[in-house]
Amino acid sequence: MTHHNKGTKVWSGKLDCTFHGKMHWELNKEMWFLSKEAKTHHDIWKEMGVKITEPKSPEGYSKVYAPNGYDTDLTSIPRVGWVAVAPWDVARPAIIHDVLYGALRDALKNKTHDEKLVNEMRAAADRVFLEGMMHVEPPIKMWKAKPCYWSVRPFGRFAIRKAGMAQT
């Protein structure tokens, strides 16, 4: 697990989005996450069309962006699972994860990257999701974060093969 330096701002701020009906939210402003995990594959994410930058400080991190107007379902936790993890608990990490999965979906659909690399990058996206959950305020307890992470690991391969929400 990666750890951020104390005092380093890792999220752009609070989530600002508008509800448009069942499982349909739209970001009202761009958001970003400062990630050590994303830095590992920075150039590949950029090549796949993810807005990602390398800040001068702190070193060893990349900023992954979700654009203003991005459509999301926030998180796909079934209502029965809300007892343990409410969608709002993991919303920001889930949105960044959706952005990364969207790039993977496009890479497969457009055949710009081979399936082996896409599968490696899916695992990388899932690690960014876990890292994001570890750095939200209030912090998500590990007993909540791990089941979310382990729910995307086996099923994510199906998610990148189905159509996502159309992005503007």
Side-chain angles (χ1 to χ4, degrees):
M1 179 50 38
T2 58
H3 296 280
H4 292 81
N5 299 330
K6 288 250 186 253
T8 301
K9 184 177 178 181
V10 296
W11 287 101
S12 54
K14 291 183 177 178
L15 186 59
D16 181 0
C17 55
T18 301
F19 181 62
H20 290 293
K22 186 179 180 187
M23 296 179 70
H24 183 192
W25 299 79
E26 180 183 350
L27 288 184
N28 293 326
K29 65 180 184 181
E30 179 179 74
M31 63 173 275
W32 53 260
F33 173 55
L34 188 64
S35 169
K36 245 186 187 177
E37 287 291 342
K39 173 67 174 164
T40 308
H41 298 93
H42 179 96
D43 293 337
I44 298 171
W45 287 125
K46 189 173 211 131
E47 201 178 272
M48 288 183 168
V50 173
K51 182 179 178 185
I52 187 169
T53 62
E54 292 180 87
K56 288 183 175 67
S57 174
E59 282 188 39
Y61 291 84
S62 287
K63 249 185 207 178
V64 182
Y65 295 82
N68 178 37
Y70 186 78
D71 286 316
T72 179
D73 63 1
L74 288 184
T75 184
S76 304
I77 298 171
R79 194 171 271 282
V80 70
W82 290 14
V83 173
V85 183
W88 284 108
D89 290 347
V90 297
R92 289 182 297 170
I95 291 168
I96 294 297
H97 188 251
D98 285 353
V99 167
L100 298 176
Y101 265 42
L104 297 174
R105 198 172 358 277
D106 289 347
L108 278 179
K109 183 179 79 177
N110 300 326
K111 298 181 182 1
T112 57
H113 296 79
D114 70 52
E115 194 159 343
K116 184 175 185 283
L117 177 64
V118 169
N119 285 331
E120 289 170 19
M121 296 304 290
R122 184 178 69 78
D126 295 346
R127 288 190 302 273
V128 170
F129 177 52
L130 181 59
E131 178 189 19
M133 288 188 289
M134 298 291 90
H135 297 288
V136 293
E137 290 295 328
I140 297 171
K141 303 281 188 224
M142 189 57 85
W143 67 267
K144 286 184 174 188
K146 282 290 190 173
C148 291
Y149 171 76
W150 286 110
S151 72
V152 298
R153 283 304 308 136
F155 302 113
R157 67 177 176 266
F158 304 112
I160 63 171
R161 283 164 177 77
K162 68 174 183 147
M165 296 185 114
Q167 296 303 317
T168 54

